[in-house]
Amino acid sequence: MSKFTQTEETMIVKNAMELTATIKLEEKELRNIKSETFRCSPKPPERRVLSKPKNIQPQYPPKPKTTYSYTDYLKDIFDKYKKNILFAGIIAIIIIVGVFLIEPIYIVMILFCSPLLVFSVLVASCCTYYTKRNTLNQELSKSPEYLQAVENAKKDAEEQQNALIKKIQQEQEKLDAEYEDKKRHYEDVTIPEYNKELHTWKMIQEKKITFLEEELQCNNEALNNLYDASKLISLTYRELWILKWLYDDMSTSDHDIRYATELLDRDRQRLATEESGRYTANAIKTMDNTMKTGFNAVYNAIDYGNELQEDSIKILSKTRRDNNIGNLIGTFQRHHTNKTLDALLTKK
């Protein structure tokens, strides 16, 4: 038979449940704090390098071309060989007439060969014309006027190229000066400020982690002491969802721990597969808001470099744990005192 009343047993289960939920929340908070990382170091400024200027090609004037035409060529030929052409024409006419009078068959041959002869003369004439035209064009391309125009085009392109190079050099010098200013500010201001903030952040994180680890250690010790001192809840029933189920049952009935565990065991398989998660969530939810408020109060104190006052952490598990354990010890003591008094009165 238990040495505690049903009310005392319910209080013990309640405290075990709250401590277990608190430990789970603190373990989760500790994991979150340890997983936090400070923002990355600012990237150094990058030096911008302008592209090389494109090569400016000279705008050469078009090569001069002669206006000497084929008609001019024929006219020159006729003027130059006018007497010879007339003499050759007369001789040709005399030959054709003489041949016609002597042997008519030669007329056919002459008529047949004349087009070929004329075509050959035209081809030769055209070749000579184009040869002379090309010669005249080459002479014009070597004229002082054209060569001077080409030289002027080269000079203009060179001046434009030099002006473009100078402009880009000036822009690059301006960019380099801005880069040097940014680099000095990065090395003398940005990085030192970042390192200072990082150092402060690490110190704050260490304080938070130390606080949570101490809280966890104290709460685990308190929970173990509760189990050892009361010897009411065996290892089989120390899961959070089970403690929540037992507390809900005992706090809403007159069931003691023995009867509540018997009820649980009858339906435990179904509860384990269907509702254990809900009981765990409800147990944690009950503590979650209170714990978050407590964490924020403590973190704010740490962030501002204040000492952790009792009123800053009283809503956390440590104060509640101390009060609860103190109450439980008082309950145990009163329980044993009452039993002793009852025994003495009975003897009297």
Coordinates of all heavy atoms in Angstrom, one line a residue, residues 182-243:
K182 N 37.1 52.0 -50.1 CA 36.2 50.9 -49.6 C 37.1 49.9 -48.9 O 36.6 49.3 -47.9 CB 35.4 50.3 -50.8 CG 34.4 51.3 -51.3 CD 33.6 50.6 -52.5 CE 32.6 51.5 -53.1 NZ 31.9 50.9 -54.2
K183 N 38.2 49.6 -49.5 CA 39.1 48.5 -48.9 C 39.6 49.0 -47.5 O 39.6 48.2 -46.5 CB 40.3 48.3 -49.8 CG 41.2 47.2 -49.3 CD 42.4 47.0 -50.3 CE 43.3 45.9 -49.8 NZ 44.5 45.8 -50.7
R184 N 40.0 50.2 -47.4 CA 40.4 50.7 -46.1 C 39.3 50.7 -45.1 O 39.5 50.3 -43.9 CB 41.0 52.2 -46.2 CG 42.4 52.3 -46.8 CD 43.0 53.6 -46.6 NE 42.3 54.6 -47.4 CZ 42.6 54.9 -48.7 NH1 43.6 54.3 -49.2 NH2 41.9 55.8 -49.3
H185 N 38.1 51.1 -45.5 CA 36.9 51.1 -44.6 C 36.6 49.7 -44.2 O 36.3 49.4 -43.1 CB 35.7 51.7 -45.3 CG 34.6 51.9 -44.4 ND1 33.6 50.9 -44.3 CD2 34.2 52.9 -43.6 CE1 32.7 51.3 -43.4 NE2 33.0 52.5 -43.0
Y186 N 36.7 48.7 -45.2 CA 36.5 47.3 -44.9 C 37.5 46.8 -43.8 O 37.1 46.1 -42.9 CB 36.6 46.5 -46.2 CG 36.4 45.0 -46.0 CD1 35.2 44.4 -45.8 CD2 37.6 44.2 -46.0 CE1 35.1 43.1 -45.7 CE2 37.5 42.9 -45.8 CZ 36.2 42.3 -45.6 OH 36.1 40.9 -45.5
E187 N 38.7 47.1 -44.0 CA 39.8 46.6 -43.1 C 39.8 47.3 -41.8 O 40.1 46.7 -40.7 CB 41.1 46.7 -43.8 CG 41.3 45.8 -45.0 CD 42.6 46.1 -45.8 OE1 43.3 47.1 -45.5 OE2 42.9 45.3 -46.7
D188 N 39.5 48.6 -41.8 CA 39.7 49.4 -40.5 C 38.4 49.5 -39.7 O 38.4 49.8 -38.5 CB 40.2 50.8 -40.9 CG 41.5 50.8 -41.5 OD1 42.3 49.8 -41.4 OD2 41.9 51.8 -42.2
V189 N 37.2 49.4 -40.4 CA 35.9 49.6 -39.7 C 35.0 48.4 -39.8 O 34.6 47.8 -38.7 CB 35.2 50.8 -40.4 CG1 33.8 51.0 -39.7 CG2 36.0 52.1 -40.3
T190 N 34.8 47.9 -41.0 CA 33.8 46.8 -41.2 C 34.2 45.5 -40.4 O 33.4 45.0 -39.7 CB 33.6 46.5 -42.7 OG1 33.2 47.7 -43.3 CG2 32.5 45.5 -42.8
I191 N 35.4 45.1 -40.7 CA 35.9 43.8 -40.1 C 36.0 43.9 -38.6 O 35.6 43.0 -37.9 CB 37.2 43.3 -40.8 CG1 36.9 42.8 -42.2 CG2 37.8 42.2 -40.0 CD1 35.9 41.7 -42.3
P192 N 36.7 45.0 -38.1 CA 36.8 45.1 -36.6 C 35.4 45.2 -36.0 O 35.2 44.5 -34.9 CB 37.5 46.5 -36.4 CG 38.3 46.6 -37.6 CD 37.5 46.0 -38.8
E193 N 34.4 45.9 -36.6 CA 33.1 45.9 -36.0 C 32.4 44.5 -36.0 O 31.8 44.1 -35.1 CB 32.2 46.9 -36.7 CG 32.5 48.4 -36.5 CD 31.6 49.3 -37.2 OE1 30.9 48.8 -38.1 OE2 31.7 50.5 -36.9
Y194 N 32.6 43.8 -37.1 CA 32.1 42.5 -37.3 C 32.7 41.6 -36.2 O 32.0 40.8 -35.6 CB 32.3 41.9 -38.7 CG 32.0 40.5 -38.8 CD1 30.6 40.1 -39.0 CD2 32.9 39.5 -38.7 CE1 30.3 38.7 -39.1 CE2 32.6 38.1 -38.8 CZ 31.3 37.8 -39.1 OH 31.0 36.4 -39.2
N195 N 34.0 41.6 -36.1 CA 34.7 40.7 -35.1 C 34.2 41.1 -33.7 O 34.1 40.2 -32.8 CB 36.2 40.9 -35.2 CG 36.7 40.3 -36.5 OD1 36.1 39.4 -37.0 ND2 37.9 40.8 -37.0
K196 N 34.0 42.4 -33.4 CA 33.5 42.7 -32.1 C 32.1 42.2 -31.8 O 31.8 41.6 -30.8 CB 33.5 44.3 -32.0 CG 33.1 44.8 -30.6 CD 33.1 46.3 -30.6 CE 32.6 46.8 -29.2 NZ 32.7 48.3 -29.2
E197 N 31.2 42.3 -32.8 CA 29.9 41.8 -32.7 C 29.9 40.3 -32.6 O 29.1 39.7 -31.8 CB 29.0 42.2 -33.9 CG 28.8 43.7 -34.0 CD 28.1 44.1 -35.2 OE1 27.7 43.2 -36.0 OE2 27.9 45.4 -35.4
L198 N 30.8 39.6 -33.3 CA 30.9 38.2 -33.3 C 31.3 37.7 -31.9 O 30.8 36.8 -31.3 CB 31.9 37.7 -34.3 CG 32.2 36.2 -34.4 CD1 30.9 35.4 -34.6 CD2 33.2 35.8 -35.4
H199 N 32.3 38.4 -31.3 CA 32.8 38.1 -30.0 C 31.7 38.2 -29.0 O 31.5 37.4 -28.1 CB 34.0 39.0 -29.7 CG 34.6 38.8 -28.3 ND1 35.3 37.6 -27.9 CD2 34.5 39.5 -27.2 CE1 35.6 37.7 -26.7 NE2 35.2 38.8 -26.2
T200 N 31.0 39.4 -29.1 CA 29.9 39.6 -28.1 C 28.8 38.5 -28.3 O 28.3 38.0 -27.3 CB 29.2 41.0 -28.4 OG1 30.3 42.0 -28.2 CG2 28.1 41.2 -27.4
W201 N 28.5 38.2 -29.5 CA 27.5 37.1 -29.8 C 27.9 35.8 -29.2 O 27.1 35.1 -28.6 CB 27.3 37.0 -31.3 CG 26.2 36.0 -31.6 CD1 24.9 36.1 -31.7 CD2 26.5 34.6 -32.0 NE1 24.3 35.0 -32.1 CE2 25.2 34.0 -32.3 CE3 27.6 33.9 -32.2 CZ2 25.1 32.7 -32.7 CZ3 27.5 32.5 -32.6 CH2 26.3 32.0 -32.8
K202 N 29.2 35.4 -29.4 CA 29.7 34.2 -28.8 C 29.6 34.2 -27.3 O 29.2 33.1 -26.7 CB 31.1 33.9 -29.3 CG 31.3 33.5 -30.7 CD 32.8 33.3 -31.1 CE 32.9 32.8 -32.5 NZ 34.3 32.6 -32.9
M203 N 29.9 35.3 -26.7 CA 29.9 35.3 -25.2 C 28.4 35.2 -24.7 O 28.2 34.4 -23.8 CB 30.4 36.7 -24.7 CG 31.9 36.8 -24.9 SD 32.5 38.4 -24.3 CE 32.0 38.4 -22.6
I204 N 27.5 35.8 -25.4 CA 26.1 35.7 -25.1 C 25.6 34.3 -25.3 O 24.9 33.7 -24.4 CB 25.2 36.7 -25.9 CG1 25.5 38.1 -25.5 CG2 23.7 36.4 -25.8 CD1 24.9 39.2 -26.3
Q205 N 26.0 33.7 -26.4 CA 25.6 32.3 -26.7 C 26.1 31.4 -25.6 O 25.4 30.4 -25.1 CB 26.1 31.8 -28.1 CG 25.4 32.5 -29.2 CD 23.9 32.2 -29.3 OE1 23.1 33.0 -28.9 NE2 23.6 31.0 -29.8
E206 N 27.4 31.6 -25.2 CA 28.0 30.7 -24.2 C 27.2 30.9 -22.8 O 27.0 29.9 -22.1 CB 29.4 31.1 -24.0 CG 30.3 30.7 -25.1 CD 31.8 31.2 -25.0 OE1 32.0 31.8 -23.9 OE2 32.6 30.9 -25.9
K207 N 26.8 32.1 -22.5 CA 26.0 32.3 -21.3 C 24.7 31.6 -21.4 O 24.2 31.0 -20.4 CB 25.8 33.8 -21.0 CG 27.1 34.5 -20.6 CD 26.8 36.0 -20.4 CE 28.1 36.7 -19.9 NZ 27.9 38.2 -19.7
K208 N 24.0 31.7 -22.6 CA 22.7 31.0 -22.7 C 22.9 29.5 -22.6 O 22.1 28.9 -22.0 CB 22.1 31.4 -24.1 CG 21.7 32.9 -24.2 CD 21.1 33.1 -25.6 CE 20.7 34.6 -25.7 NZ 20.2 34.9 -27.1
I209 N 23.9 29.0 -23.3 CA 24.1 27.6 -23.2 C 24.4 27.1 -21.8 O 23.9 26.1 -21.3 CB 25.3 27.2 -24.2 CG1 24.8 27.4 -25.7 CG2 25.7 25.7 -24.0 CD1 25.9 27.2 -26.7
T210 N 25.3 27.9 -21.1 CA 25.6 27.5 -19.7 C 24.4 27.5 -18.9 O 24.2 26.6 -18.0 CB 26.7 28.5 -19.2 OG1 27.9 28.5 -20.0 CG2 27.0 28.2 -17.7
F211 N 23.6 28.6 -19.0 CA 22.3 28.6 -18.3 C 21.4 27.4 -18.5 O 20.9 26.8 -17.6 CB 21.6 29.9 -18.6 CG 20.2 30.0 -18.1 CD1 19.9 30.3 -16.8 CD2 19.1 29.7 -18.9 CE1 18.6 30.3 -16.3 CE2 17.8 29.8 -18.5 CZ 17.6 30.1 -17.1
L212 N 21.2 27.1 -19.8 CA 20.4 26.0 -20.2 C 20.9 24.7 -19.7 O 20.2 23.8 -19.2 CB 20.1 25.9 -21.7 CG 19.3 27.1 -22.2 CD1 19.3 27.0 -23.7 CD2 17.8 26.9 -21.7
E213 N 22.2 24.5 -19.8 CA 22.8 23.2 -19.3 C 22.7 23.1 -17.8 O 22.5 22.0 -17.3 CB 24.3 23.2 -19.7 CG 24.5 23.0 -21.2 CD 25.9 23.0 -21.7 OE1 26.8 23.5 -20.9 OE2 26.3 22.5 -22.8
E214 N 22.9 24.2 -17.1 CA 22.7 24.2 -15.6 C 21.2 23.9 -15.3 O 21.0 23.1 -14.3 CB 23.1 25.5 -15.0 CG 24.6 25.7 -15.0 CD 25.0 27.1 -14.5 OE1 24.1 27.9 -14.2 OE2 26.2 27.4 -14.4
E215 N 20.3 24.5 -16.0 CA 18.9 24.2 -15.8 C 18.6 22.7 -16.0 O 17.8 22.1 -15.2 CB 18.1 25.1 -16.7 CG 17.9 26.5 -16.2 CD 16.9 26.5 -15.0 OE1 15.8 26.0 -15.1 OE2 17.4 27.0 -13.9
L216 N 19.1 22.2 -17.1 CA 18.9 20.8 -17.4 C 19.4 19.9 -16.3 O 18.8 18.9 -15.9 CB 19.5 20.5 -18.8 CG 18.6 20.7 -20.0 CD1 19.4 20.5 -21.3 CD2 17.4 19.7 -20.0
Q217 N 20.6 20.2 -15.9 CA 21.2 19.4 -14.9 C 20.4 19.4 -13.6 O 20.1 18.4 -13.0 CB 22.7 19.9 -14.6 CG 23.4 19.0 -13.6 CD 24.8 19.5 -13.3 OE1 25.3 20.4 -14.0 NE2 25.5 18.9 -12.4
C218 N 20.0 20.6 -13.2 CA 19.2 20.7 -12.0 C 17.8 20.0 -12.1 O 17.4 19.3 -11.2 CB 19.0 22.2 -11.7 SG 20.4 23.1 -11.1
N219 N 17.2 20.2 -13.3 CA 15.9 19.5 -13.5 C 16.0 18.0 -13.5 O 15.1 17.3 -13.0 CB 15.2 20.1 -14.7 CG 14.6 21.5 -14.5 OD1 14.2 21.8 -13.4 ND2 14.7 22.3 -15.5
N220 N 17.1 17.5 -14.2 CA 17.2 16.1 -14.2 C 17.5 15.5 -12.8 O 17.0 14.5 -12.4 CB 18.4 15.7 -15.1 CG 18.0 15.7 -16.6 OD1 17.1 14.9 -17.0 ND2 18.5 16.5 -17.4
E221 N 18.3 16.3 -12.0 CA 18.6 15.8 -10.7 C 17.3 15.9 -9.8 O 17.0 15.0 -9.0 CB 19.6 16.7 -10.0 CG 21.0 16.5 -10.6 CD 22.0 17.5 -10.0 OE1 21.6 18.4 -9.2 OE2 23.2 17.5 -10.4
A222 N 16.5 16.9 -10.1 CA 15.3 17.1 -9.3 C 14.3 16.0 -9.7 O 13.6 15.4 -8.8 CB 14.6 18.4 -9.6
L223 N 14.2 15.6 -10.9 CA 13.3 14.6 -11.4 C 13.8 13.2 -10.8 O 12.9 12.4 -10.3 CB 13.3 14.5 -12.9 CG 12.3 13.5 -13.5 CD1 10.9 13.8 -13.0 CD2 12.4 13.5 -15.0
N224 N 15.1 13.0 -10.8 CA 15.6 11.7 -10.3 C 15.3 11.6 -8.8 O 15.0 10.6 -8.2 CB 17.1 11.6 -10.6 CG 17.3 11.3 -12.1 OD1 16.5 10.7 -12.8 ND2 18.5 11.7 -12.6
N225 N 15.6 12.8 -8.1 CA 15.3 12.8 -6.7 C 13.8 12.6 -6.3 O 13.5 11.9 -5.3 CB 15.7 14.2 -6.1 CG 17.2 14.4 -6.1 OD1 18.0 13.4 -6.1 ND2 17.7 15.6 -6.1
L226 N 13.0 13.1 -7.2 CA 11.5 12.9 -7.0 C 11.2 11.5 -7.1 O 10.4 10.9 -6.3 CB 10.7 13.8 -8.0 CG 9.2 13.6 -8.0 CD1 8.6 14.0 -6.7 CD2 8.6 14.4 -9.2
Y227 N 11.7 10.8 -8.1 CA 11.4 9.4 -8.3 C 12.0 8.6 -7.1 O 11.4 7.7 -6.6 CB 12.0 8.9 -9.6 CG 11.2 9.4 -10.9 CD1 11.9 9.8 -12.0 CD2 9.8 9.4 -10.9 CE1 11.2 10.2 -13.1 CE2 9.1 9.8 -12.0 CZ 9.8 10.2 -13.1 OH 9.1 10.6 -14.2
D228 N 13.2 8.9 -6.8 CA 13.9 8.1 -5.7 C 13.2 8.4 -4.3 O 13.1 7.4 -3.5 CB 15.4 8.5 -5.6 CG 16.2 8.1 -6.9 OD1 15.7 7.2 -7.6 OD2 17.2 8.7 -7.1
A229 N 12.8 9.6 -4.1 CA 12.3 9.9 -2.8 C 10.9 9.3 -2.6 O 10.5 8.8 -1.5 CB 12.3 11.4 -2.6
S230 N 10.1 9.4 -3.7 CA 8.7 9.0 -3.6 C 8.6 7.5 -3.8 O 7.7 6.8 -3.2 CB 7.8 9.7 -4.6 OG 8.2 9.4 -5.9
K231 N 9.4 7.0 -4.7 CA 9.3 5.5 -5.1 C 7.9 5.2 -5.5 O 7.4 4.1 -5.2 CB 9.9 4.6 -4.0 CG 11.3 4.8 -3.7 CD 11.9 3.7 -2.9 CE 13.4 4.0 -2.6 NZ 14.2 4.1 -3.7
L232 N 7.3 6.1 -6.2 CA 5.9 5.9 -6.6 C 5.7 5.5 -8.0 O 4.8 4.7 -8.3 CB 5.1 7.2 -6.3 CG 3.6 7.2 -6.5 CD1 2.9 6.3 -5.4 CD2 3.0 8.6 -6.5
I233 N 6.6 6.0 -8.9 CA 6.4 5.8 -10.3 C 7.6 4.9 -10.8 O 8.7 5.4 -10.8 CB 6.4 7.1 -11.1 CG1 5.3 8.0 -10.5 CG2 6.1 6.9 -12.6 CD1 5.3 9.5 -11.1
S234 N 7.3 3.8 -11.3 CA 8.3 2.9 -11.8 C 8.8 3.3 -13.2 O 8.2 4.1 -13.8 CB 7.8 1.4 -11.8 OG 6.8 1.3 -12.9
L235 N 10.0 2.7 -13.6 CA 10.6 3.1 -14.9 C 9.6 2.9 -16.0 O 9.6 3.6 -17.0 CB 11.8 2.2 -15.1 CG 13.1 2.6 -14.3 CD1 14.1 1.5 -14.5 CD2 13.6 4.0 -14.7
T236 N 8.7 1.9 -15.9 CA 7.8 1.6 -17.0 C 6.8 2.8 -17.3 O 6.4 2.9 -18.4 CB 7.0 0.4 -16.7 OG1 7.9 -0.7 -16.2 CG2 6.2 -0.1 -17.9
Y237 N 6.6 3.6 -16.3 CA 5.6 4.7 -16.5 C 6.2 6.1 -16.5 O 5.5 7.0 -16.2 CB 4.6 4.5 -15.3 CG 3.9 3.2 -15.3 CD1 4.3 2.2 -14.4 CD2 2.8 2.9 -16.2 CE1 3.7 0.9 -14.4 CE2 2.2 1.7 -16.1 CZ 2.6 0.7 -15.3 OH 2.0 -0.5 -15.3
R238 N 7.4 6.2 -16.9 CA 8.1 7.5 -16.8 C 8.1 8.3 -18.1 O 8.8 9.3 -18.2 CB 9.5 7.4 -16.2 CG 9.4 7.0 -14.7 CD 10.8 6.8 -14.1 NE 10.7 6.4 -12.8 CZ 11.8 6.1 -12.0 NH1 13.0 6.3 -12.4 NH2 11.6 5.7 -10.7
E239 N 7.5 7.7 -19.2 CA 7.4 8.5 -20.4 C 6.4 9.6 -20.2 O 5.4 9.5 -19.5 CB 6.9 7.5 -21.5 CG 7.9 6.5 -21.9 CD 7.4 5.6 -23.1 OE1 7.0 6.2 -24.1 OE2 7.5 4.4 -23.0
L240 N 6.6 10.7 -21.0 CA 5.8 11.9 -20.8 C 4.4 11.7 -21.1 O 3.5 12.1 -20.3 CB 6.4 13.0 -21.7 CG 5.6 14.4 -21.6 CD1 5.6 14.9 -20.1 CD2 6.3 15.4 -22.5
W241 N 4.1 10.9 -22.1 CA 2.7 10.7 -22.5 C 1.9 9.9 -21.4 O 0.8 10.1 -21.1 CB 2.5 10.1 -23.9 CG 2.8 8.6 -24.0 CD1 4.0 8.1 -24.2 CD2 1.9 7.6 -23.8 NE1 3.9 6.7 -24.2 CE2 2.6 6.4 -24.0 CE3 0.5 7.5 -23.5 CZ2 2.0 5.1 -23.9 CZ3 -0.1 6.2 -23.4 CH2 0.7 5.1 -23.6
I242 N 2.7 9.0 -20.8 CA 2.1 8.1 -19.7 C 1.8 9.0 -18.5 O 0.8 8.9 -17.9 CB 3.0 7.0 -19.4 CG1 3.1 6.0 -20.6 CG2 2.5 6.2 -18.2 CD1 4.1 4.9 -20.4
L243 N 2.8 9.8 -18.1 CA 2.6 10.7 -17.0 C 1.4 11.6 -17.2 O 0.6 11.9 -16.2 CB 3.9 11.5 -16.7 CG 5.1 10.7 -16.3 CD1 6.3 11.6 -16.3 CD2 4.9 10.1 -14.9

